[in-house]
């Protein structure tokens, strides 16, 4: 009889284990980032950050596993729209993280809006990304704040009076940030002595450089991405333009220094994060683990990728874990308040979906990115 009871207990324990295993839940989250293409360095870095964040907190509080489904948008608008649609209709994700650049995020946003699926961008800073939308939010600051920070730094800290602005006309990010900077720089008493336009595919900046030389500004403001900035700087230095080049967060990638070399020495930019300014417990833990895993410091894209994951997970937990609906997850994303993330303390405006947070200024010095200062909102 005793043996029979023991056997029955063993069977019950086994059935309980199998039942628990079978009941293990997955929460599917889509990720749309450029793993290939012109801005692949951004996507690859963000993915490093998000994957490390997932390893730190792989499950929701109810035990459900967070499954990240990554689709490569190749840095293209059409690919982004297709990827967001596929994640929602084929993979049935409850939320989407994406899509790095403003232009691509703008391409995917209408689809997420249509299906009422929350889309959280880690780094799209153009105000239009969230304007008039209910399901699109971000963990990064927006361009009007970033442009104002750059203008204040140039006018009040460096006392620069004149500037030429280089605008990448086919990138919403560049156009929006340029206009924000121009408005702020003028308001602070600065003078815009010229505006130059170029396309993402341009390889020759000789015409713009010749025009800038005639205007002789004290600073060149170029809110573009690392490839264009590094190429412009190489050509500009060859033609004798030695003015300070100021940029936005699109400048920050190791490829800027690898491509630009000595020509990008002194390039200064507004951004979201600096490992030496890490202040929250989560940022310190993330930095330690990132260094141990990748043997390097995380850049802003990696830190923002991690924050997108952590903020989304926080919202999923608030919304009920596996049982959470996309609408509830969206509600809690937009009610993120005082979240102590990797890039700092994040609060998201429930009406706009925009994050309220600090900005960092960094520059290239002796072939490395170095911390300059932090500017609070």
């Amino acid at each position: 009889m005793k043996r029979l009871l023991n056997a029955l207990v063993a069977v019950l324990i086994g059935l309980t284990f199998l039942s628990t295993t079978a009941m293990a839940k997955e929460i599917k989250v889509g990720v749309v980032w450029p793993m290939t293409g012109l801005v692949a360095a951004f996507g690859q870095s963000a993915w490093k950050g998000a994957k490390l964040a997932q390893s730190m907190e792989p499950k929701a509080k109810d035990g459900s596993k967070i499954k990240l489904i990554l689709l490569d948008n190749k840095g293209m608008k059409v690919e982004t729209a297709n990827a967001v649609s596929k994640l929602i209709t084929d993979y049935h994700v409850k939320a989407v993280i994406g899509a790095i650049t403003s232009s691509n995020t703008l391409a995917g946003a209408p689809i997420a809006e249509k299906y009422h699926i929350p889309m959280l961008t880690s780094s799209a800073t153009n105000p239009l990304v969230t304007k008039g939308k209910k399901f699109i939010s971000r963990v990064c600051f927006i361009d009007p704040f970033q442009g104002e920070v750059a203008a204040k730094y140039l006018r009040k800290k460096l006392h620069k009076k004149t500037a030429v602005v280089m605008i990448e006309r086919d990138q919403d990010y560049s156009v929006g940030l340029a206009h924000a900077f121009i408005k702020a720089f003028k308001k602070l008493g600065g003078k815009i002595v010229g505006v130059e336009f170029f396309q993402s595919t341009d390889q020759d900046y000789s015409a713009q450089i010749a025009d800038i030389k005639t205007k002789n500004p004290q600073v060149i403001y170029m809110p573009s991405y690392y490839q264009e900035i590094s190429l412009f700087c190489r050509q500009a230095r060859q033609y004798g333009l030695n003015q300070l080049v100021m940029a936005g967060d699109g400048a920050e990638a190791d490829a800027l220094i690898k491509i630009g070399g000595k020509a990008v020495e002194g390039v200064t930019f507004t951004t979201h994060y600096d490992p030496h300014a890490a202040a929250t417990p989560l940022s310190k833990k993330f930095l330690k683990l990132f260094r141990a895993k990748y043997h390097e410091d995380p850049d802003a894209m990696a830190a923002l990728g991690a924050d997108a994951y952590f903020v989304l997970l926080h919202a999923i937990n608030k919304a009920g874990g596996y049982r959470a609906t996309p609408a509830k997850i969206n509600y809690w994303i937009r009610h993120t308040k005082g979240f102590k993330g990797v890039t700092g303390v994040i609060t998201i405006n429930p009406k706009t979906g925009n994050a309220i947070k600090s900005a960092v200024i960094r520059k290239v010095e002796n072939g490395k990115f170095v911390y300059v200062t932090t500017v609070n909102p």
Side-chain angles (χ1 to χ4, degrees), residues 45 122 249 252 271-274 298-305 343 362:
S45 184
S122 60
D249 55 323
E252 188 174 4
T271 187
H272 309 262
Y273 170 81
D274 186 282
D299 61 12
M301 288 296 168
L304 287 168
T343 59
R362 303 181 86 191

Side-chain angles (χ1 to χ4, degrees), residues 238-350:
Q238 289 174 359
Y239 283 96
L241 276 181
N242 296 310
Q243 287 95 332
L244 167 69
V245 174
M246 183 90 191
D249 55 323
E252 188 174 4
D254 289 339
L256 174 78
I257 298 172
K258 291 177 182 177
I259 299 171
K262 292 183 179 179
V264 297
E265 277 290 312
V267 169
T268 305
F269 53 92
T270 47
T271 187
H272 309 262
Y273 170 81
D274 186 282
H276 300 96
T280 70
L282 185 61
S283 65
K284 292 175 182 177
K285 182 179 180 181
F286 176 82
L287 177 59
K288 182 180 179 180
L289 292 173
F290 194 96
R291 285 172 171 170
K293 184 174 178 65
Y294 299 113
H295 309 291
E296 62 182 6
D297 282 347
D299 61 12
M301 288 296 168
L304 287 168
D307 270 346
Y309 178 85
F310 285 129
V311 168
L312 178 57
L313 178 59
H314 179 71
I316 288 172
N317 285 330
K318 286 282 190 178
Y322 181 77
R323 295 183 179 86
T325 63
K328 285 185 178 180
I329 294 171
N330 186 67
Y331 174 87
W332 285 109
I333 287 173
R334 288 210 163 193
H335 284 78
T336 300
K337 187 174 182 180
F339 182 82
K340 296 178 180 178
V342 176
T343 59
V345 180
I346 302 169
T347 293
I348 296 179
N349 186 311

Side-chain angles (χ1 to χ4, degrees), residues 2-74:
K2 187 175 181 181
R3 287 182 180 179
L4 180 60
L5 286 173
N6 287 340
L8 286 171
V9 169
V11 170
L12 287 171
I13 291 172
L15 288 173
T16 301
F17 175 79
L18 289 172
S19 177
T20 302
T21 303
M23 291 175 64
K25 304 294 186 180
E26 266 188 352
I27 300 172
K28 295 179 182 178
V29 173
V31 181
V32 183
W33 281 337
M35 295 293 106
T36 58
L38 292 175
V39 290
F42 288 158
Q44 292 165 7
S45 184
W47 184 238
K48 281 184 179 180
K51 287 296 288 180
L52 180 59
Q54 184 189 33
S55 72
M56 292 167 67
E57 296 185 31
K59 296 180 180 180
K61 285 185 177 180
D62 66 354
S64 302
K65 180 182 177 182
I66 306 298
K67 182 178 182 180
L68 297 179
I69 303 171
L70 172 67
L71 295 185
D72 178 14
N73 67 1
K74 302 178 178 64

Side-chain angles (χ1 to χ4, degrees), residues 141-355:
F141 49 63
I142 60 175
D143 287 333
F145 175 62
Q146 183 176 194
E148 185 178 335
V149 168
K152 282 184 177 180
Y153 177 73
L154 291 172
R155 288 290 296 127
K156 295 186 176 183
K157 295 291 184 181
L158 302 186
H159 307 292
K160 301 294 184 182
K161 296 179 180 179
T162 59
V164 162
V165 180
M166 292 277 292
I167 301 178
E168 192 172 353
R169 66 166 76 244
D170 57 331
Q171 291 290 345
D172 297 301
Y173 162 77
S174 182
V175 174
L177 184 49
H179 286 304
F181 170 80
I182 289 170
K183 181 180 179 180
F185 195 72
K186 286 181 176 179
K187 187 176 181 180
L188 292 168
K191 185 177 181 181
I192 304 297
V193 296
V195 176
E196 304 289 338
F197 294 94
F198 66 98
Q199 297 283 121
S200 301
T201 54
D202 289 350
Q203 298 293 308
D204 182 4
Y205 295 93
S206 58
Q208 291 93 337
I209 291 170
D211 197 37
I212 293 172
K213 289 189 76 171
T214 65
K215 294 177 170 62
N216 194 31
Q218 291 180 310
V219 64
I220 299 167
Y221 186 67
M222 188 175 183
S224 187
Y225 299 119
Y226 59 90
Q227 311 98 321
E228 290 76 21
I229 295 169
S230 57
L231 184 58
F232 169 78
C233 285
R234 287 177 67 117
Q235 294 180 22
R237 301 321 184 202
Q238 289 174 359
Y239 283 96
L241 276 181
N242 296 310
Q243 287 95 332
L244 167 69
V245 174
M246 183 90 191
D249 55 323
E252 188 174 4
D254 289 339
L256 174 78
I257 298 172
K258 291 177 182 177
I259 299 171
K262 292 183 179 179
V264 297
E265 277 290 312
V267 169
T268 305
F269 53 92
T270 47
T271 187
H272 309 262
Y273 170 81
D274 186 282
H276 300 96
T280 70
L282 185 61
S283 65
K284 292 175 182 177
K285 182 179 180 181
F286 176 82
L287 177 59
K288 182 180 179 180
L289 292 173
F290 194 96
R291 285 172 171 170
K293 184 174 178 65
Y294 299 113
H295 309 291
E296 62 182 6
D297 282 347
D299 61 12
M301 288 296 168
L304 287 168
D307 270 346
Y309 178 85
F310 285 129
V311 168
L312 178 57
L313 178 59
H314 179 71
I316 288 172
N317 285 330
K318 286 282 190 178
Y322 181 77
R323 295 183 179 86
T325 63
K328 285 185 178 180
I329 294 171
N330 186 67
Y331 174 87
W332 285 109
I333 287 173
R334 288 210 163 193
H335 284 78
T336 300
K337 187 174 182 180
F339 182 82
K340 296 178 180 178
V342 176
T343 59
V345 180
I346 302 169
T347 293
I348 296 179
N349 186 311
K351 292 183 179 180
T352 65
N354 294 330

Side-chain angles (χ1 to χ4, degrees), residues 120-121 130 133-134 136-140 142 333-334 347-356:
L120 181 63
T121 176
T130 54
K133 301 180 181 71
K134 296 180 179 179
I136 315 301
S137 305
R138 62 181 121 214
V139 296
C140 56
I142 60 175
I333 287 173
R334 288 210 163 193
T347 293
I348 296 179
N349 186 311
K351 292 183 179 180
T352 65
N354 294 330
I356 303 166

